[in-house]
Amino acid sequence: ARVPHGILISSHVEKAEDHVAGKLACQPGTKLWRLETLYSADERPISTASMWFMYAGLARLPADFKKTGSLTQALRLSGIEVYLRDQTEISARHPIQSEAGRLQVASDSVVLVTDYVSRVSDRTPLQYAKTRFAAERVRLIAG
C-alpha cells in the first residue's frame, strides 16, 4: 500500500574497474553506465543504489529511467523484458555522510547493504548493484 518512485541522481559512462568487470564478466576498461538512484515510498527515501550496466545496447538507459522512474520499465524500453537477480549478499553498517543525507537518516543509524548481479534469461550478466536501505524503513524477505 505504498506509492514507489525512483529518481536518477546521476549517470555517467565509466571504464569497468577490476571488481565491477568481474561481476559483469567483462574486460577491465569496458565502457559501462554507472547510475546513482534514490527510491522512495510515499515520498520517504528507502534506498539509494549504485548500479553498473554494459553501455552497449543500453545507450538510452539513463534517459528512459529518468522518464519512467522505474528501472524495469527503462529496461523494457531497451528490449529487456525479463531479468533475474542472482544471489544477494546482505550486510549492515552505518551510512557514510552522502548516504545519510540521501536517505534522511542519522549518521549513527543502520543501513542494510545489498550486493548483487542481475542476469538476462541466457544467464548473461546485465547489472551489478550495491543498494543501501534505510533499515528503519524496510524489511527484506527472501523467497
Side-chain angles (χ1 to χ4, degrees), residues 4-123:
H5 181 71
I7 62 168
L8 181 64
I9 295 169
S10 67
S11 65
H12 63 274
V13 175
E14 67 182 30
K15 293 181 180 179
E17 295 180 4
D18 290 345
H19 176 71
V20 175
K23 297 285 188 178
L24 291 175
C26 66
Q27 294 296 315
T30 299
K31 191 174 175 180
L32 304 176
W33 275 119
R34 180 175 178 166
L35 280 61
E36 295 290 329
T37 62
L38 178 67
Y39 281 89
S40 299
D42 293 342
E43 299 183 15
R44 293 192 68 200
I46 57 169
S47 69
T48 186
S50 304
M51 299 181 279
W52 293 264
F53 298 84
M54 301 297 283
Y55 180 84
L58 295 172
R60 294 200 35 80
L61 183 63
D64 289 341
F65 183 96
K66 195 176 244 186
K67 179 172 60 176
T68 64
S70 163
L71 179 60
T72 299
Q73 289 178 29
L75 289 168
R76 280 190 185 132
L77 292 172
S78 292
I80 298 170
E81 294 289 330
V82 177
Y83 62 99
L84 302 171
R85 183 178 295 188
D86 267 355
Q87 180 178 1
T88 301
E89 294 179 27
I90 303 172
S91 59
R93 61 171 169 74
H94 295 295
I96 61 172
Q97 185 176 358
S98 62
E99 294 165 346
R102 284 182 191 173
L103 295 172
Q104 299 174 8
V105 296
S107 59
D108 63 348
S109 65
V110 174
V111 292
L112 299 175
V113 181
T114 62
D115 188 299
Y116 62 90
V117 174
S118 293
R119 299 177 186 277
V120 292
S121 57
D122 70 357
R123 306 283 303 144

